[in-house]
Amino acid sequence: MASATMTLIASQVLGSSASSVTFSSIPQTYKDLKIISSTRDISSGNPSSNMTVQFNGDATTKYSQTILRGNGGSASAVQGGSYTYWLNYVISSGSASTANTFGSEEFYIPNYISSTTKQSFSFGAGENNSSTAGNQWIGIVANYYQGTSPITSITLDLNGNTISTNSSFYLYGIKNS
Amino acid sequence: MATATYVPLATQTLGSATSTITFSSIPSGYTDLRVVLENIQAASGCLTYGRINGDSGSNYSYTSLYAQTNTPNTTNASNQTYLNLVSAVGPLSSSPSFMSLDIFSYTSSTYKTMLVNWAEDYNSGGVAENNVQLWRNTSAITSLSFFNSSSVNFLAGTTATLWGI
């Protein structure tokens, strides 16, 4: 029988609101990691808000990104470096958005156990049936992390805001054999 | 032994031109769903739409980010009566397109969000598009259907696969 190549490592579905979610003690037995999350921000007044990601508790300026983004009215791109986190910032539906809507995010992190720097692709969006451009976002992000230690923990938060009940986070490990 | 988490539930390869591709009786035992349409070809230029559980009410909306040439574009629409899976250039008769549709928490009691990748290139042009879809309904998803604008048929060879994750 063929071996599973995509395996659920851990999941967190919030039964109550939280300030952050951490996957720790990530097994070092896969090639790549994938995170799929659905989130809602209940403290931001904006229809969309931002998700941040840090590895191994590292809050130093090792993070950089190039982002292509759109809000229904205009498309643009931005690049920045020396961040203290990855900012998947087009993402989570905020407290001002339509009730019952959640933002969706995917991160793909190859070679997470390597002793080299790490690159990642992410895709995220918040959609809430608003006809007003700017009340929703979609973004495609190239991420770069200059840390060289294997990734053993990942912390996700909403840039200091509160994550809603029923937000969900799934961490998958992927093998290539 | 680890349990497989990426499970093919159904696949269809069209043997003849067909107006609608449907997955029905979708089991509820997974967290997410993924639909992959590949080798998408249509009888003439059109856009590709979708519906969930046969719902034709004004319960769909989307925001799209795409590029056809050198300039990115974005658009959005609310209160639609279908999933608008591609907003730039849809399937053609002369070259195949690819689409993946990720549906998150499809059995949850919240509204459903979906992320779409659409790609096609025909040498003299093409489109790369990502979009997010929202279906404002709290029911579990049990069926999905895909069809084209102006009732344009999908051509033989178009393949659709449904995965449970």
Side-chain angles (χ1 to χ4, degrees), chain B residues 21-122:
Chain B
I21 298 170
T22 300
F23 292 110
S24 57
S25 302
I26 298 172
S28 60
Y30 300 89
T31 303
D32 303 326
L33 296 175
R34 165 167 266 216
V35 178
V36 174
L37 297 182
E38 56 186 303
N39 196 31
I40 311 167
Q41 296 183 72
S44 60
C46 57
L47 300 177
T48 298
Y49 301 146
R51 284 201 172 108
I52 300 170
N53 294 358
D55 181 12
S56 58
S58 302
N59 298 315
Y60 304 87
S61 58
Y62 75 98
T63 299
S64 173
L65 178 64
Y66 64 93
Q68 281 182 265
T69 54
N70 297 323
T71 305
N73 292 287
T74 181
T75 188
N76 76 300
S78 58
N79 299 318
Q80 302 292 292
T81 58
Y82 44 72
L83 297 167
N84 198 332
L85 298 167
V86 57
S87 54
V89 178
L92 305 170
S93 60
S94 55
S95 60
S97 300
F98 168 89
M99 184 204 75
S100 66
L101 168 66
D102 289 303
I103 305 173
F104 302 102
S105 303
Y106 70 106
T107 61
S108 77
S109 57
T110 64
Y111 293 169
K112 312 300 185 298
T113 52
M114 292 146 263
L115 298 179
V116 176
N117 294 287
W118 186 284
E120 65 186 79
D121 189 277
Y122 44 93

Side-chain angles (χ1 to χ4, degrees), chain A residues 121-132:
Chain A
F121 168 81
S122 60
F123 176 24
E127 165 61 37
N128 54 29
N129 194 44
S130 171
S131 59
T132 303

